[in-house]
Amino acid sequence: MSVLFKNRKVQWFVVMLLAAGAVLLSETLLPSASRLAVPVISKEEPSAPAPDMQPADSGKPLDNQTTAPLSYRIAEYHMNVAYTPESRQLQGQQTLTWENPGSVPVQELYLHLYPNAFASKKTTFMRESGGKLRQDEARTGTSGSMDLLSVKTMDGEDLSPRMTFVQPDDGNKDDHTLLKIPLPKPVGAGEQVTIKTEFLVKLPAVFARMGYVDDFVMAGQWFPKVAAYERAGTRGRTEPGWNLHQYHGNSEFYADFGLYDVKIQVPSNYTVAATGFPVKPAVTDKGMKTYQFYADDVHDFAWSASPHFVYVEEPFSTPQIPGVKIKLYLDPNHQDLKDRYMNAAKKALTRYSQWYGTYPYSTLSVVVPPPGGNGAGGMEYPTLVTAWGADDKTPDLELERVVVHEIGHQYFYGLVASNEFEEAWLDEGFTSYAEDKVMEMDYGVSPNLPVESSYITSPNTLNQNAWAYTGHDQYAENVYTRGKLVLKAIEKQVGTKTMDRIMRTYFQKWEFKHPSTKDFQNVVEDVTKTKWDDFFNDYVYGAMMMDYSVESIQVKASGMKEKPSYDSTIVIFKKGGNSPEVPIHFHFADGTSLDKTWDGKESRIEFKLTHTAPVDWVRIDPKYSLILENKHINNYLQTEVNPKWKIRWNLGIIQFLQAIFGWVSW
């Protein structure tokens, strides 16, 4: 395809076909779209180079309609939304068609109304987060909400009297983020139901992935979103059913794949970035502009808008990527950094496609929020990611790191589509692991794993509900850092080449299929031909870290005066999880040394060494090879301690500090 598209006549021919195909799609294959109320009816303007006037992106819409879908498209959305800057509101209409993927009839639908998380301090999200997320804080005096103005069947039957808010996780009646809608009749296996809604969203000052900063708007989790329905066998389920959770302080999202056809109306001076691609040039009338975007084989849709975006785009392809249009929507404060953003996106796409598999979409958009907009920053959506806010005009490598990280989510959040409610580490830990590899290979920045392991002060099981962690710090140190370290520890045991094969096999086997932690373990075992129950029970299903301690050193003179000899007895304790190899370094007073390896199977081991000089110190893991060891302070012990200090003076502290300052970045 990339050779074909070098011919401009062919390009324009295909563009016209795509535009015609999109119109045909909306009017014939997707009839519900034509019956939606359009915010503005107006004439189309001629095409121009500006992003809002681009024709349909080449290469995807027709292909996707003439070949088998990449995913099981359970949900189909047709939406119109209008943004009013003066009121900070989104007014929308939605036609949702949902297919029952299970084997039993379904009597009700469940919708996530995520903006209601910001309605008051009493919601589950605000109670659990305390109004804070990362370094961002909810602004006093602003709130967010979603009102369903109408909910009807395609026959016009009003479903609103049947609706009730439900709180399956905590019973908090002040939380209205999950809505149950009983249906007039059951939806049989393989059958579909369509409902039409009108809704009004009040945006908060930007916080926790959505809201506004002056005239910038981030619309993430902005529409009534159908909950995920899992078939029997998905993530270990024995019976089909809904996966139902409220919006929590730590949790992110989980949804089924589907199709999105979305019209977005904004003031005419605004530029819109969105999931998917434009199906035709924007339409302007009476001071307002309407965009239309299309996306399929995705499980979410987000958009952002600003009158100040500096737009940059470049086509990009590699042997693993047939062709993708990278689009930057820069805050003016960072327009001079466009090359850094673009290069980071290219490096990330190149590496991930080499390691895991093809990026299957035709576009990738990077939005840079304005200064003060970090509440919208550092977040991922299908085909669209956000960088940090443009507060700093001369940012360090965090600029590249966040772009690399969020694009990594295109794979483990976007394509594999893990359940971030219940197993967040399958996205965050895997993405952090992949991010480190890109930063090391392309930017020369190696992670300081000993320091990162020391951050794990409250280890907890990884396959648990995100809100079960005590606060955001414990959540982050486990699902991001500890999850990444678990993968690094597996890599340490099996070697880099085998680990690369594990990760690629996992991605390609479970792309578009919603895997579980057990599914990943099965891949590890299949690739290595080894059982990994002990490791996973300790560090994934369990809450352990490694902790090896030099408990005591006793020295006794045993030789003659003419030929001195010393018996040294060293006791090593295992206080945490297992390691198949525990390196131990013994140092003698005459400057000689001895290295041994313990298999770590027992809770303690005693070494008896005879030498012409006494052991004067012992160190466990001198090269920091035990990635999951988080208490390095007891890894070292001297035979004699200066009584003046009356403490166990630990050279390990000194060496550990040297390690901290000796690394470029961590």
Side-chain angles (χ1 to χ4, degrees), residues 165-193:
F165 289 107
V166 293
Q167 302 83 19
D169 300 324
D170 63 2
N172 176 12
K173 297 302 181 183
D174 293 310
D175 188 83
H176 294 168
T177 58
L178 185 62
L179 182 71
K180 178 181 178 180
I181 306 177
L183 298 171
K185 61 179 182 179
V187 183
E191 295 180 351
Q192 295 182 341
V193 62

Side-chain angles (χ1 to χ4, degrees), residues 599-649:
D599 63 16
K601 292 182 178 179
E602 305 298 329
S603 61
R604 69 187 297 276
I605 188 171
E606 185 177 282
F607 291 92
K608 293 186 177 181
L609 306 176
T610 300
H611 189 60
T612 55
V615 168
D616 60 352
W617 57 266
V618 176
R619 181 171 183 80
I620 300 170
D621 192 25
K623 296 182 179 179
Y624 295 105
S625 62
L626 301 179
I627 292 170
L628 291 168
E629 166 74 76
N630 68 326
K631 296 181 180 178
H632 304 88
I633 194 169
N634 58 7
N635 285 7
Y636 175 90
L637 186 64
Q638 288 178 316
T639 304
E640 294 182 346
V641 178
N642 188 336
K644 175 182 177 182
W645 299 103
K646 305 221 185 265
I647 62 170
R648 174 180 173 161
W649 177 248

Side-chain angles (χ1 to χ4, degrees), residues 427-644:
D427 176 37
E428 299 296 355
F430 281 55
T431 299
S432 298
Y433 169 85
E435 164 210 326
D436 274 359
K437 291 186 65 176
V438 175
M439 294 305 294
E440 187 166 9
M441 290 186 174
D442 289 306
Y443 295 97
V445 180
S446 300
N448 192 334
L449 300 179
V451 174
E452 293 189 17
S453 67
S454 72
Y455 293 160
I456 312 302
T457 57
S458 300
N460 216 311
T461 176
L462 294 177
N463 66 325
Q464 68 174 343
N465 295 335
W467 55 95
Y469 295 100
T470 305
H472 189 74
D473 288 346
Q474 190 187 83
Y475 165 79
E477 74 178 49
N478 278 278
V479 304
Y480 287 80
T481 306
R482 186 165 168 271
K484 175 186 75 174
L485 294 174
V486 163
L487 297 178
K488 293 294 292 184
I490 296 173
E491 179 183 327
K492 181 70 177 178
Q493 289 193 37
V494 304
T496 301
K497 288 185 178 180
T498 300
M499 188 62 181
D500 289 346
R501 192 150 53 93
I502 288 171
M503 296 294 284
R504 185 175 182 86
T505 301
Y506 171 71
F507 175 80
Q508 295 193 346
K509 180 175 182 177
W510 290 103
E511 186 178 12
F512 298 110
K513 294 184 179 70
H514 310 294
S516 68
T517 297
K518 183 62 177 176
D519 294 321
F520 175 65
Q521 181 183 345
N522 290 340
V523 170
V524 175
E525 294 179 343
D526 289 345
V527 172
T528 62
K529 309 301 180 188
T530 305
K531 296 298 291 181
W532 282 77
D533 287 335
D534 290 345
F535 180 92
F536 274 75
N537 288 338
D538 279 354
Y539 303 116
V540 178
Y541 311 124
M544 287 193 175
M545 293 289 284
M546 293 178 187
D547 182 14
Y548 293 96
S549 172
V550 185
E551 285 297 302
S552 64
I553 304 173
Q554 294 182 346
V555 177
K556 180 180 179 182
S558 60
M560 305 296 292
K561 186 175 182 181
E562 298 78 13
K563 192 176 181 179
S565 179
Y566 296 88
D567 294 331
S568 300
T569 303
I570 302 95
V571 178
I572 308 292
F573 275 17
K574 178 178 70 177
K575 299 182 176 181
N578 294 302
S579 171
E581 294 184 352
V582 183
I584 306 170
H585 184 79
F586 304 90
H587 192 273
F588 298 90
D590 62 0
T592 60
S593 61
L594 176 67
D595 289 298
K596 287 183 174 290
T597 300
W598 175 33
D599 63 16
K601 292 182 178 179
E602 305 298 329
S603 61
R604 69 187 297 276
I605 188 171
E606 185 177 282
F607 291 92
K608 293 186 177 181
L609 306 176
T610 300
H611 189 60
T612 55
V615 168
D616 60 352
W617 57 266
V618 176
R619 181 171 183 80
I620 300 170
D621 192 25
K623 296 182 179 179
Y624 295 105
S625 62
L626 301 179
I627 292 170
L628 291 168
E629 166 74 76
N630 68 326
K631 296 181 180 178
H632 304 88
I633 194 169
N634 58 7
N635 285 7
Y636 175 90
L637 186 64
Q638 288 178 316
T639 304
E640 294 182 346
V641 178
N642 188 336
K644 175 182 177 182

